[in-house]
Amino acid sequence: MSMRQTSSRAKARDCILVGECVEELRKLPSESVDLVFADPPYNLQLSKQLLRPNDTRVDGVDDSWDQFASFADYDTFSKNWLAECRRILKPNGALWVIGSYHNIFRLGTTLQDLGFWILNDVMWRKTNPMPNFRGRRFTNAHETLIWASKSQAARYTFNYESLKAMNDDLQMRSDWLLPICSGPERLKDDDGRKAHPTQKPEALLNRVLLASTNVGDTVLDPFFGTGTTGAAAKRLGRRWIGIEQDPDYAVAAKARISAVKRLPSSSLETLRSKRAEPRVPFGTLVELGILKPGAAIFDGRKRFRAEVKADGTVALPGMQGSIHRVGAEVQGKSACNGWTFWHFERRGKLRPIDDLRQKAKHQLGLIPEAPLVAAE
Ligand SMILES: C[S@@+](CC[C@H](N)C(=O)[O-])C[C@H]1O[C@@H](n2cnc3c(N)ncnc32)[C@H](O)[C@@H]1O
C-alpha cells in the first residue's frame, strides 16, 4: 500500500492519493473502477457552537472541509466530483453516496441530472444516535445512502442471494440497523480525541461491498477520511483507491489499513443466484453430445416420452419444438420450464435434464467445478 503524489494514476490500486478530489479524479483513467463509495462533505451549515443542556460543547462537524459559501457552491462541487466518478466507472459500475438531510436531496438531483440511475435509497438507522439537545426537533437517527448505477442500462452487481442469506433467508430490506462507529473501532489521536469527526462504521461498508462488488473488484472512495472503505475492502479481498486532501487523515488511514488482514479466499465465497449463472441453451447440450440426437427424455412420471432431435428440439408424435414449448403443450399449459419437466434415464433412475447443464457449463469453461452428474 502506498500514498502517491505523482501524476501517473493508470495503475493506482490499494493506495491513497493525497490531494483535492476533483483534481485527483481527473488523473484516473476512464472506465477503470467497479464501484464508487463516497462520503462527501455534508455542508452542515452550523452557524453557532452547539451546546448540551449542561453547557458542554457538542463535538459537531465544524471543519473547514465541510463549509461552502452557498447551496449553489455545494451543487457545483458535487456536480464536478460526481461527473468525474461517472467517467471513471466501468459501464456496468455503480456508486453509493451517503449523506444527511442537509445534502442528500441535492446529491440525488445531481446524480439524476448527470445520467446516473437510482436503484435504491437505503436508510442507515443508528442504534445509538446523538440526541437533539435543544428538544426543538426529532432526534436525527439516520443517514441516507443512495445506490445508483452508472446508467439505466448498466448490468450492475447485486449479490442478492448472499444478502438474503445474511438476513436469515428474508430479502434484505432498505433499512439497515447498525450502530455508529464507537469503542475500539473509533480511531483516536495521540491525545485520545477522535481522529476524525465522521468515521463511518466498518459494518456499513462491509454490507455495501458484499452487496455490490465481487472479490477482486476495485472500489474508489474520493473522500477517504480515515479509510473505512479501504479497511473493509482489504478485509473482503477487493482492491481500493482512496482520495483524501488532509495528509493527517491519510496517514491515519494508511496505518489503519496496514493492520487489516485479508480474509482467506475460502471465507469470501459468495452465494450465487441461478439467474446470475451463464445461460446454456438446450441445443448446446445436443451439440456437445451430452444428449445425443435420438435419445429419449421423459416427464417425471414417465407419462410422456419425447425424442431429442439434432437441431435441439424434442418431438412426440404430431408435436415438435423446444423443451419448454413441447413440455407446455403435452400438459395443456401455456408455459413450462422444460429443464425441470423433462428427465433423462440413468441406471434405471430419472433425473432432470437441468442436471446436465452443469456438465455443459464445465465443458464450455464457464464454471470451474467438476460436473455434479457424469454423462452416460
Ligand atoms: C465525511 S468525511 C469521510 C469520512 C470517511 N468515510 C471515514 O470513515 O473516515 C469527508 C472527508 O473528505 C475530505 N474532503 C473534503 N473535501 C475534499 C476534497 N475536495 N478533496 C479531497 N478530500 C476532501 C475531508 O478531509 C474528510 O476527511
Side-chain angles (χ1 to χ4, degrees):
M1 191 212 324
S2 61
M3 294 205 313
R4 300 199 192 179
Q5 277 171 319
T6 67
S7 60
S8 162
R9 305 290 196 226
K11 296 254 164 11
R13 285 292 179 277
D14 306 331
C15 62
I16 306 171
L17 310 174
V18 184
E20 201 286 317
C21 76
V22 180
E23 278 173 32
E24 293 302 319
L25 288 167
R26 287 196 179 120
K27 298 175 197 161
L28 291 172
S30 299
E31 303 192 352
S32 58
V33 308
D34 302 280
L35 190 82
V36 171
F37 179 86
D39 181 11
Y42 286 49
N43 190 20
L44 287 186
Q45 311 128 46
L46 294 178
S47 48
K48 297 191 268 197
Q49 216 183 58
L50 193 57
L51 299 176
R52 294 191 177 85
N54 65 2
D55 279 348
T56 55
R57 188 174 167 273
V58 176
D59 196 7
V61 183
D62 52 6
D63 308 62
S64 59
W65 57 257
D66 200 53
Q67 289 168 19
F68 292 80
S70 63
F71 284 135
D73 274 13
Y74 186 76
D75 292 344
T76 305
F77 170 67
S78 304
K79 194 171 154 223
N80 289 344
W81 72 260
L82 280 167
E84 279 303 309
C85 286
R86 190 156 188 272
R87 177 186 63 77
I88 296 162
L89 274 173
K90 293 180 185 171
N92 290 329
L95 172 142
W96 290 82
V97 60
I98 182 167
S100 63
Y101 64 86
H102 307 87
N103 64 336
I104 200 70
F105 303 106
R106 312 194 78 82
L107 287 166
T109 304
T110 307
L111 280 170
Q112 288 182 325
D113 289 349
L114 289 172
F116 283 96
W117 186 251
I118 296 183
L119 300 166
N120 274 118
D121 63 324
V122 169
M123 187 208 286
W124 164 32
R125 188 151 79 82
K126 301 175 182 178
T127 46
N128 44 354
M130 186 159 61
N132 183 273
F133 291 109
R134 284 191 281 175
R136 303 282 298 271
R137 299 189 192 180
F138 297 108
T139 301
N140 186 22
H142 74 277
E143 290 188 32
T144 303
L145 297 103
I146 297 177
W147 178 36
S149 55
K150 179 166 177 169
S151 68
Q152 189 177 0
R155 300 188 60 183
Y156 57 90
T157 297
F158 180 40
N159 294 318
Y160 169 81
E161 299 288 348
S162 279
L163 271 281
K164 188 175 166 189
M166 188 193 273
N167 196 35
D168 285 351
D169 290 335
L170 291 174
Q171 280 195 343
M172 183 62 83
R173 296 159 43 123
S174 62
D175 48 347
W176 299 356
L177 184 67
L178 296 168
I180 59 170
C181 180
S182 58
E185 192 186 324
R186 188 93 208 195
L187 298 190
K188 301 274 168 33
D189 63 17
D190 293 341
D191 302 324
R193 287 184 304 233
K194 288 178 191 168
H196 195 289
T198 68
Q199 183 183 335
K200 293 294 170 295
E202 246 175 84
L204 183 74
L205 268 298
N206 202 59
R207 194 173 295 181
V208 162
L209 297 183
L210 281 175
S212 56
T213 59
N214 293 311
V215 171
D217 280 359
T218 298
V219 186
L220 165 68
D221 183 336
F223 303 97
F224 205 52
T226 41
T228 311
T229 305
K234 181 176 174 188
R235 209 173 135 264
L236 294 173
R238 276 69 170 165
R239 313 294 305 271
W240 55 272
I241 305 167
I243 303 176
E244 172 55 55
Q245 67 186 6
D246 184 322
D248 292 339
Y249 291 155
V251 167
K254 186 178 179 210
R256 174 187 185 183
I257 298 167
S258 296
V260 171
K261 283 203 168 57
R262 183 193 192 274
L263 288 169
S265 300
S266 56
S267 307
L268 293 173
E269 284 161 12
T270 43
L271 203 57
R272 295 235 151 255
S273 71
K274 280 208 150 196
R275 267 188 304 172
E277 285 183 12
R279 212 179 77 82
V280 174
F282 182 72
T284 304
L285 262 60
V286 181
E287 283 170 343
L288 293 175
I290 294 171
L291 268 178
K292 297 200 168 50
I297 55 173
F298 311 88
D299 69 299
R301 285 193 273 150
K302 265 195 161 178
R303 289 166 305 166
F304 308 107
R305 177 189 191 280
E307 188 186 320
V308 175
K309 301 289 180 189
D311 64 355
T313 59
V314 296
L316 278 83
M319 209 185 279
Q320 184 165 358
S322 73
I323 48 170
H324 310 294
R325 255 242 326 266
V326 173
E329 224 167 294
V330 293
Q331 298 180 85
K333 291 185 175 171
S334 59
C336 157
N337 179 352
W339 289 108
T340 49
F341 179 72
W342 294 110
H343 295 65
F344 65 101
E345 196 162 16
R346 189 172 159 231
R347 292 190 203 113
K349 282 204 172 136
L350 290 181
R351 313 207 33 176
I353 56 172
D354 200 22
D355 289 357
L356 297 173
R357 271 207 283 196
Q358 286 294 106
K359 183 173 170 56
K361 284 179 192 169
H362 182 61
Q363 279 190 17
L364 293 167
L366 297 173
I367 53 166
E369 303 96 50
L372 297 172
V373 182
E376 287 286 66

